[in-house]
Amino acid sequence: MKTIKEKKKECQRLRKSARTRRVIQRKPSSEPVCRLCLQEPGDPEKLGEFLQKDNLSVHYFCLILSSKLPQRGQSNRGFHGFLPEDIKKEAARASRKICFVCKKKGAAISCQKDHCVRNFHLPCGQERGCLSQFFGEYKSFCGKHRPTQDIQQGKLREENCVLCCEDLSQASVENIQSPCCSQTIYHRKCIQKYAHTSAKHFFKCPQCNNREEFPQEMLRMGIHIPDRDAAWELEPGAFSELYQRYQHCDAPTCLYEQGRDSFEEEGKWCLVLCATCGSHGTHRDCSFLRCNGKKWECEECSPSASATDYVPENSNDLPCCSSMFHPQGQFCRDSSLGENPGPSWNDWPRPYPESSGGRRSHSWQSKGVKIPKSCKKSQ
């Protein structure tokens, strides 16, 4: 028989070995954790960007939603203006607060409803239906005091999420109703992903393109809308093709010996682009442009050949158009002939149409207008 003293020693030995086993089984985290919520990086759409600097790691959303964390620095200091010493003080304060969800310490976010004493970690609160607003004072609320919408339960069975086309049969706080299109309901995760992609300047109602009521209601319901360019504009080389200059001679007969894809910076083999569309080009000598001519229009952008005639530059007659005749029978307007090439047909008084009373229409000769032979029309 063991004495009472021996039994106590054995119990102490077993307890010590049990504690040792628990320490051995506890694997250290391979990734850094947030100083404010004690969680790993996670989903950026839910927790924000994971920021690391000087052995200090925090989620961006934990920074802006912490109840007592001031932003005392400029945007280029610390973590977007949140100084490291202030973050450490906030973490020390949160270490005395217990999360009402996981019952662990380190809850830096408090419900902003009066007389509510609930505190929670950001990831824990999102799992339990808590809501945080990303505007104004960046308030957070527990699931009992969060903002709500008056969504009619009967219409949920007839609606699908417009963004993912999945069923909305279950009434849930994860559904959000559009303020401008009252019959449209979305999944919260779908709207958040849409806002994260389109960002502030392109975020609008997917149904009616409303840019006023829709973003305001989504902000009230806890949707984070980043203040940046859209995701497709931030991709590397997204608009690289816009910076490429057209480098091809489109003249019917290219006279340059080195070919259509070669040109010189100056001189008669300089490549001149269309002044209207910029999508066509020609060597200056291939289209018989002036030596100092820098403006030219392609066949698609210039007036049609049937509406214009060629007039030599040294003609004393009044030119009727500002076009040049191309050797191949095509017309390409040379915009370098002057800013005011002279009046066109539309600038002259129109003849009166013949009426039923037999009134004669005025002729051009009756107005005393001198018309060149090349511009006379057959009667």
Side-chain angles (χ1 to χ4, degrees), residues 119-333:
N119 302 282
F120 53 90
H121 302 107
L122 180 60
C124 298
Q126 292 176 347
E127 294 178 0
R128 190 60 69 89
C130 299
L131 184 144
S132 298
Q133 296 177 336
F134 297 91
F135 71 97
E137 300 179 3
Y138 291 85
K139 296 181 178 181
S140 297
F141 302 92
C142 63
K144 183 178 180 181
H145 302 125
R146 57 173 290 167
T148 58
Q149 288 182 320
D150 185 15
I151 301 178
Q152 298 182 7
Q153 304 292 337
K155 293 185 178 181
L156 287 178
R157 300 177 182 177
E158 303 174 0
E159 290 290 336
N160 292 330
C161 177
V162 175
L163 298 177
C164 69
C165 299
E166 293 184 1
D167 188 24
L168 290 169
S169 57
Q170 298 295 330
S172 171
V173 293
E174 298 304 318
N175 298 334
I176 301 181
Q177 185 175 15
S178 174
C180 46
C181 304
S182 58
Q183 303 298 323
T184 306
I185 303 175
Y186 308 93
H187 290 127
R188 172 179 292 274
K189 60 179 182 180
C190 296
I191 283 290
Q192 182 57 75
K193 187 173 183 179
Y194 169 53
H196 185 78
T197 303
S198 58
K200 179 179 179 180
H201 302 292
F202 293 92
F203 187 67
K204 57 186 178 181
C205 176
Q207 290 286 87
C208 66
N209 296 331
N210 185 289
R211 293 178 177 270
E212 297 180 359
E213 297 180 58
F214 187 80
Q216 293 178 2
E217 179 64 12
M218 296 303 108
L219 287 172
R220 188 183 75 88
M221 295 304 298
I223 299 299
H224 176 250
I225 306 175
D227 188 6
R228 55 167 173 77
D229 292 331
W232 57 82
E233 293 186 346
L234 300 177
E235 296 179 1
F239 303 99
S240 58
E241 65 276 4
L242 298 180
Y243 298 99
Q244 297 179 2
R245 188 177 184 269
Y246 192 77
Q247 300 179 354
H248 184 79
C249 176
D250 295 311
T253 302
C254 182
L255 306 177
Y256 194 32
E257 296 179 353
Q258 299 185 16
R260 296 180 179 272
D261 295 328
S262 300
F263 59 93
E264 298 177 0
E265 295 296 332
E266 298 292 340
K268 62 181 181 179
W269 303 121
C270 175
L271 188 68
V272 181
L273 299 184
C274 177
T276 301
C277 66
S279 299
H280 295 84
T282 179
H283 293 119
R284 182 178 284 124
D285 212 37
C286 294
S287 293
F288 303 97
L289 302 179
R290 293 181 174 182
C291 296
N292 58 350
K294 296 184 179 180
K295 292 184 179 181
W296 168 82
E297 285 187 335
C298 62
E299 181 183 0
E300 296 180 1
C301 299
S302 63
S304 61
S306 60
T308 58
D309 292 327
Y310 172 73
V311 177
E313 295 182 8
N314 56 359
S315 175
N316 295 326
D317 295 332
L318 184 65
C320 61
C321 61
S322 59
S323 301
M324 293 189 64
F325 179 76
H326 197 274
Q328 299 292 334
Q330 297 176 349
F331 286 80
C332 298
R333 187 171 67 181

Side-chain angles (χ1 to χ4, degrees), residues 1-14:
M1 294 293 296
K2 294 182 179 180
T3 61
I4 297 176
K5 189 175 181 179
E6 292 175 347
K7 290 181 179 180
K8 288 182 177 180
K9 288 183 178 181
E10 186 176 358
C11 290
Q12 292 176 358
R13 182 179 59 82
L14 293 175

Side-chain angles (χ1 to χ4, degrees), residues 101-115:
V101 180
C102 66
K103 309 302 180 183
K104 295 181 180 180
K105 295 182 179 180
I109 303 177
S110 305
C111 178
Q112 298 300 309
K113 181 68 175 179
D114 295 339
H115 308 298

